[in-house]
Amino acid sequence: MPAWLAALAAPIVSLARDLRPAYLPPLLVYLAAGLQGITGIVGTFFVKEQLGLSAEFLAALGFWTLVPWSLKMPIGHLTDLLWRYKALLVYLGALLVGASLTIMALLLGEPAYMAGIMAPARWYVLASLLAPTGYVLQDAVADAMTVEAVPHLHSDGTPRSESETHAMHATVQTLGRVALIGGTVLVALANMWIFDGADALPAPERAALYRDVYLGALAIPLVSVTGVLIGAHLKRRTRARALKAGLSLSDARALAGDLPGSTRPNWPLLAGSALFAAFTLAMGQSELAYAQEIVFAGSLAILAWLMTRLTREQDRTTRATLWGTALVVFAFRAAPSPGAGVTWWSIDVLGFDAQFFALLSLITGVLTLAGMFALRSFMGRHGMVRIVLTLTAAQALLSLPTLAMSVGLHEWTQQVTGGVVDARFITIVDTALSGPFGQIAMIPMLAWIAASAPPELKATYFAVMASFTNLALSASDLLTKALNRHYVLSREVRDGAGKLLTAADYSALTPLLVATLALGVLLPVLAVAVVRLMRLRTA
């Protein structure tokens, strides 16, 4: 085998060797989360072709779809309280995801019937909220299962060292990202086949194709349910083998992943979460101009308070590390995106179709997996600050091709190269280079959270810490909404009779991309400066 190929394969072989059967249950739940992206392209074209929603509205909707992830705190605590019955939360999540997919299938298959009950845009909003609620239920259980999957004892009952368990936690979190991204790769391959020639189909046939995608996606919740069933089987088998080998019942349970400790209800957390949920729902129904900003501020305050309470019994170094790491990752993930308007511009101006978007998704997924394997040692050798700043610089550089195309770079390169280096060529190269960066920064953070979680509060601790970094995505959507409100991009919208309702206007694209680039660099750099100033630590 050539040396370069051996070097490329070594991280993959190493990670595969570290895979244990006990890791499979949470990995299947993460795989299901990756597979749900099969409806992403369909949703984009459905909104563009049939719903007259603005880029600002879609950014605002993106904020509300992230609100269920803020409720991961009580869901995580509920997982600890109902640990023996946590599978029920996965089943409930599967039902909610299935309901969301069914609504979208009916909107495409029976539009007149659905419109007679409620406006299509309202159905779309409902489906958009049901799906993340289902996934957050499953994700809270899966996160706790990653802690449970790492045994603190060897097969003979002797305890594992702290460094050994920490390495296993890092492996589980890496495999979790691999399962998630692997799901997106499978989805991209499926979409390339599904959308082959779809652009030439008449509108009714294209709508039927979109409907069939949603109907096929109903199989995805079964993947996460299968993970739970496999987990139950593995635990029973491990306990039985340990007891047969002469271990005590407590050691057999520990070896199977049943970590010791009992969880008592945290009534302030549950009551506060119930009030927060009611407050969020009320704000969602209100007409206040800054309802989302108020909800975000309240979420941030509650999470900061909960993090303070959960870490007050830890030593000062551990607390400083958790806070510093969380702040840096928060800032990195809070960077805004240009929003849906750039996708519309890609479709209307650059001529990208559904199959090409599937190709881009495939490239991103494959290279993200490759990047995670290739950069595994880099993540192990360097701290979070080094990782985040490196990724920030790389993402800034790799956003320049799109910015350049907004002022006509692709037209010049196409002319100079005889049509070879066109918009699609530039986009493919840019996607290939930037693909690995999206998921990498979270792996060290997740491994640190899993290793630091107290046994009796594994799901609660993971949920609160992960929710803090996930709340950064809400901040990202708020910034995206603000940018789209200031730099308005609009696609052409016509009514059923073909009357023009909104003309296409992408004149603000270049300043929007410049503002997005500037904030994407500024936020992480400021966060690192604040961490240094406050003398915090990072993982």
Side-chain angles (χ1 to χ4, degrees):
M1 180 184 294
W4 66 269
L5 185 58
L8 183 64
I12 302 175
V13 173
S14 174
L15 192 62
R17 287 175 178 172
D18 291 338
L19 177 64
R20 300 164 58 94
Y23 300 165
L24 288 177
L27 296 184
L28 285 175
V29 180
Y30 291 137
L31 175 63
L35 293 174
Q36 59 93 20
I38 195 169
T39 60
I41 294 176
V42 170
T44 297
F45 279 83
F46 171 74
V47 170
K48 184 179 184 297
E49 295 171 4
Q50 301 189 32
L51 299 179
L53 304 177
S54 68
E56 181 185 349
F57 178 89
L58 292 173
L61 178 59
F63 172 86
W64 291 115
T65 60
L66 289 170
V67 167
W69 293 94
S70 298
L71 297 176
K72 194 173 178 180
M73 299 177 294
I75 295 171
H77 190 55
L78 188 62
T79 302
D80 282 325
L81 294 175
L82 304 176
W83 188 251
R84 292 182 59 187
Y85 309 101
K86 60 183 180 295
L88 296 176
L89 297 178
V90 177
Y91 300 149
L92 177 58
L95 287 175
L96 293 176
V97 171
S100 172
L101 294 170
T102 301
I103 288 173
M104 293 302 298
L106 289 173
L107 271 179
L108 287 158
E110 301 292 339
Y113 172 76
M114 297 293 282
I117 301 174
M118 190 165 62
R122 289 183 175 271
W123 278 119
Y124 177 73
V125 170
L126 176 61
S128 298
L129 294 174
L130 284 176
T133 303
Y135 283 116
V136 73
L137 286 170
Q138 297 189 343
D139 191 69
V141 177
D143 287 345
M145 290 168 70
T146 62
V147 181
E148 181 187 43
V150 176
H152 288 251
L153 299 175
H154 290 283
S155 57
D156 59 358
T158 58
R160 296 180 183 273
S161 66
E162 182 178 348
S163 60
E164 187 177 5
T165 57
H166 185 78
M168 294 174 73
H169 280 302
T171 297
V172 174
Q173 297 306 325
T174 302
L175 287 169
R177 299 300 100 183
V178 169
L180 183 67
I181 303 304
T184 65
V185 171
L186 294 176
V187 161
L189 287 169
N191 277 332
M192 288 192 65
W193 173 70
I194 290 169
F195 293 113
D196 184 19
D199 196 47
L201 292 175
E205 293 184 25
R206 197 160 58 245
L209 176 64
Y210 295 167
R211 177 205 60 203
D212 291 343
V213 171
Y214 280 106
L215 289 175
L218 286 170
I220 294 174
L222 298 178
V223 176
S224 53
V225 171
T226 300
V228 172
L229 296 176
I230 291 176
H233 170 71
L234 290 174
K235 289 170 72 70
R236 287 193 300 269
R237 189 181 68 175
T238 302
R239 280 197 301 266
R241 287 181 175 178
L243 290 172
K244 188 176 180 179
L247 271 67
S248 66
L249 179 60
S250 60
D251 285 348
R253 287 177 173 173
L255 193 60
D258 291 331
L259 301 182
S262 59
T263 303
R264 296 180 179 180
N266 187 324
W267 295 114
L269 186 152
L270 294 174
S273 298
L275 288 174
F276 171 71
F279 170 72
T280 300
L281 291 173
M283 295 301 295
Q285 296 295 322
S286 72
E287 300 295 331
L288 291 177
Y290 296 99
Q292 295 168 14
E293 287 78 5
I294 294 173
V295 169
F296 172 77
S299 301
L300 187 59
I302 291 172
L303 279 170
W305 175 72
L306 286 171
M307 287 177 66
T308 302
R309 288 181 61 88
L310 285 173
T311 59
R312 62 185 178 182
E313 295 182 1
Q314 295 179 319
D315 61 85
R316 184 174 180 179
T317 300
T318 302
R319 286 199 305 271
T321 301
L322 282 169
W323 276 104
T325 304
L327 287 172
V328 171
V329 175
F330 184 96
F332 179 75
R333 288 164 67 87
S337 70
V342 175
T343 303
W344 300 338
W345 170 75
S346 300
I347 296 170
D348 291 342
V349 178
L350 301 184
F352 295 172
D353 55 18
Q355 189 179 40
F356 183 70
F357 281 113
L359 174 62
L360 295 180
S361 178
L362 175 63
I363 293 172
T364 299
V366 170
L367 292 179
T368 297
L369 285 175
M372 289 169 63
F373 287 120
L375 297 176
R376 190 183 180 197
S377 60
F378 173 78
M379 290 185 288
R381 293 195 311 269
H382 300 288
M384 183 59 69
V385 168
R386 175 75 175 273
I387 293 172
V388 165
L389 290 180
T390 300
L391 296 180
T392 297
Q395 288 186 335
L397 289 173
L398 294 172
S399 67
L400 294 178
T402 302
L403 176 60
M405 284 196 295
S406 72
V407 295
L409 171 69
H410 58 291
E411 297 173 355
W412 177 77
T413 56
Q414 185 173 357
Q415 181 180 6
V416 170
T417 62
V420 176
V421 183
D422 58 2
R424 294 196 176 205
F425 183 95
I426 294 172
T427 302
I428 288 174
V429 173
D430 186 44
T431 300
L433 293 173
S434 62
F437 300 132
Q439 294 285 336
I440 290 173
M442 281 302 295
I443 293 176
M445 177 68 180
L446 293 172
W448 181 264
I449 292 172
S452 305
E456 71 281 5
L457 289 172
K458 44 195 172 295
T460 304
Y461 191 89
F462 210 114
V464 172
M465 296 301 178
S467 292
F468 184 77
T469 53
N470 284 335
L471 190 62
L473 300 179
S474 295
S476 174
D477 280 326
L478 287 177
L479 290 173
T480 299
K481 185 188 76 168
L483 289 175
N484 277 270
R485 179 182 295 167
H486 186 71
Y487 303 106
V488 179
L489 305 181
S490 58
R491 68 195 185 283
E492 182 180 285
V493 178
R494 296 180 182 271
D495 61 15
K499 180 182 178 181
L500 181 65
L501 300 178
T502 305
D505 182 7
Y506 299 111
S507 58
L509 177 62
T510 300
L512 171 63
L513 293 174
V514 170
T516 302
L517 170 61
L519 287 173
V521 173
L522 185 62
L523 289 176
V525 171
L526 285 178
V528 171
V530 169
V531 167
R532 294 286 190 248
L533 185 64
M534 296 178 65
R535 297 183 179 179
L536 298 175
R537 298 171 178 263
T538 56

